Amino acid sequence: MNSETKVSLAWGAGIIVLALGLSSARSAGQIDHDTVTRIILGATGLMVVWFGNMMPKRFVPSEVARRVHRVGGWSMVISGLIYAGAFAWLPIQTAVFVGCGAIIAGLAITLGYCQSVRTKARA
């Protein structure tokens, strides 16, 4: 198993452990439901930031592929930070709208850039 897979599994396991711990704290009456939601979804946003940050650091032999990784990485880092920040400060309903919109925008930017590179390569 390579190190990227181990890191991915660690993120997944960490979020599950965090969710279970927060759920038991909520059952004990120590924190409320909104706090649990905000922490878990904020951690999910930070996970997007982590993976976005790792995208440009992967070795690919092509200069075009490196540019695509850079654009994709930056768009995921920025959208993940907006997602995490939305759940930290905005009301839950607004945070869902803003956070999901940021992730969708990050994906759209990445896919749009890939399409433009592909179109340029065909021309």
Side-chain angles (χ1 to χ4, degrees), residues 4-118:
E4 288 183 33
T5 304
K6 290 177 186 177
V7 170
S8 300
L9 289 173
W11 267 104
I15 289 178
I16 289 171
V17 168
L18 180 65
L20 290 173
L22 290 172
S23 179
S24 70
R26 185 176 58 90
S27 296
Q30 296 174 344
I31 56 176
D32 64 343
H33 177 71
D34 279 354
T35 305
V36 172
T37 301
R38 288 178 184 279
I39 292 172
I40 295 301
L41 292 175
T44 303
L46 294 177
M47 181 181 68
V48 171
V49 170
W50 172 266
F51 285 112
N53 185 45
M54 296 309 294
M55 279 178 68
K57 296 176 182 172
R58 293 188 182 112
F59 175 76
V60 289
S62 167
E63 174 59 32
V64 174
R66 283 193 292 272
R67 281 187 282 153
V68 168
H69 276 148
R70 259 191 313 275
V71 169
W74 272 105
S75 67
M76 287 294 98
V77 165
I78 292 168
S79 63
L81 287 172
I82 292 170
Y83 185 89
F87 281 100
W89 289 295
L90 297 176
I92 295 290
Q93 294 300 326
T94 307
V96 169
F97 181 74
V98 170
C100 291
I103 296 294
I104 290 169
L107 290 171
I109 288 169
T110 303
L111 291 173
Y113 185 74
C114 289
Q115 186 63 36
S116 73
V117 167
R118 184 177 181 194

